[in-house]
Amino acid sequence: MLNSVMMYVAPFALTLVFAGGIRGLGGAERGVRAAGSAVVLSFLISWGFFLRPDWVPANDFSRIGHIALGAALVGLVLDLMAPRRFWAAAAAAIVLLISTWASVRGGLSLPAPLGVGWAASVAALTAAAFLVIARLDAARSHGAVALILLAAAALGLSLIAWVAGEPSLASTGLILVSSVLAYTVMQWAMAAAVGDSIILGAGAALLALAWALAEAQPWVRPAMIFLPLIFFAEGTAKRVPLPAARISLVLYPLVLAGLAALPLALAVVIAYVMAMA
């Protein structure tokens, strides 16, 4: 029981410590931009320590960490260099293409022969992944919005994995939720930057988790279709009338989380019904 509690407390605490340390050591400019790397760093340390995945990315589960690490490193470079968004988008597209290729192929080798159908599947999945990352990238300019959406999607995948009888994937999702929520606290309290290391790193971890779950239990895919609706909760939340006072700074994230919980709950209910059928 204590080990289970620590599995989710550890990434929360590590994120706070790492983000604060990176911000302090890096200074007011670079430290602020690089602090977001703490999210994936704490996720990887906790995930590796408690769930013991293989070091070699031989399966979909162990590839989650490798994909998250590679994407986070690229995101960290983008945070520090601060290039134009065109180049950041190009870098994200390349990372997502490689990640999708590795997930579908089970590695980076070329299939022989390279079929048109296989290439089309990789292209379609890469495009879908890019749209998710682009949506998160657009939301990060509004404070903790992107973090709330990330946490909600990861929680949804975790609950579906639990319903599907995949405890390791369910725990992976909750570890990611814990890391993201810790940084959400820092963002709210200290206006910490939501940079590319979070959007690309945590976003890639989320997508890799979704792929692993869909491959492990294909029957949950219809339920997972509803999870992307979480990323559109912001548009509805903006239409909810809130008081013109400082309290709205607290109420808006709660409203957003509540609206994001609707498609999350729908997806979980559908998965549960399918599991009982």
Side-chain angles (χ1 to χ4, degrees):
M1 179 64 179
L2 180 60
N3 188 62
S4 298
V5 173
M6 287 302 299
M7 186 186 304
Y8 309 120
V9 172
F12 191 94
L14 287 175
T15 299
L16 295 178
V17 172
F18 289 152
I22 293 171
R23 180 171 180 175
L25 294 174
E29 185 178 348
R30 290 188 173 228
V32 170
R33 295 205 302 264
S37 59
V39 172
V40 175
L41 179 60
S42 64
F43 165 74
L44 290 175
I45 291 175
S46 302
W47 179 73
F49 180 81
F50 289 105
L51 298 182
R52 308 290 183 180
D54 294 332
W55 288 106
V56 178
N59 53 58
D60 292 320
F61 179 67
S62 59
R63 268 191 293 274
I64 294 173
H66 289 260
I67 288 173
L69 177 60
L73 289 175
V74 173
L76 178 59
V77 172
L78 294 174
D79 285 336
L80 295 176
M81 296 182 62
R84 293 183 178 181
R85 296 314 298 168
F86 170 82
W87 296 112
I94 293 172
V95 168
L96 294 174
L97 175 60
I98 294 174
S99 300
T100 303
W101 188 300
S103 296
V104 175
R105 177 62 181 166
L108 297 178
S109 60
L110 281 170
L114 181 60
V116 175
W118 187 90
S121 298
V122 172
L125 289 170
T126 302
F130 185 83
L131 289 176
V132 171
I133 297 300
R135 184 70 193 92
L136 291 172
D137 183 70
R140 70 173 173 169
S141 60
H142 305 293
V145 170
L147 299 173
I148 293 173
L149 298 179
L150 259 173
L155 178 60
L157 288 173
S158 177
L159 293 176
I160 293 175
W162 177 75
V163 170
E166 294 288 339
S168 294
L169 295 178
S171 296
T172 299
L174 288 180
I175 291 172
L176 183 59
V177 170
S178 180
S179 298
V180 173
L181 287 182
Y183 199 81
T184 304
V185 172
M186 289 203 66
Q187 200 284 328
W188 179 76
M190 304 172 61
V194 181
D196 289 305
S197 56
I198 294 178
I199 300 300
L200 199 51
L206 180 74
L207 294 167
L209 172 60
W211 174 267
L213 178 56
E215 287 294 292
Q217 301 291 347
W219 61 269
V220 303
R221 293 176 186 178
M224 293 173 60
I225 290 175
F226 293 90
L227 289 180
L229 295 176
I230 290 173
F231 300 111
F232 297 94
E234 182 192 8
T236 305
K238 288 179 178 178
R239 297 184 177 89
V240 176
L242 296 175
R246 291 181 61 86
I247 188 64
S248 63
L249 297 177
V250 177
L251 291 178
Y252 179 75
L254 295 177
V255 170
L256 177 63
L259 292 171
L262 297 178
L264 185 161
L266 178 61
V268 174
V269 168
I270 291 174
Y272 181 79
V273 171
M274 294 176 67
M276 294 297 101

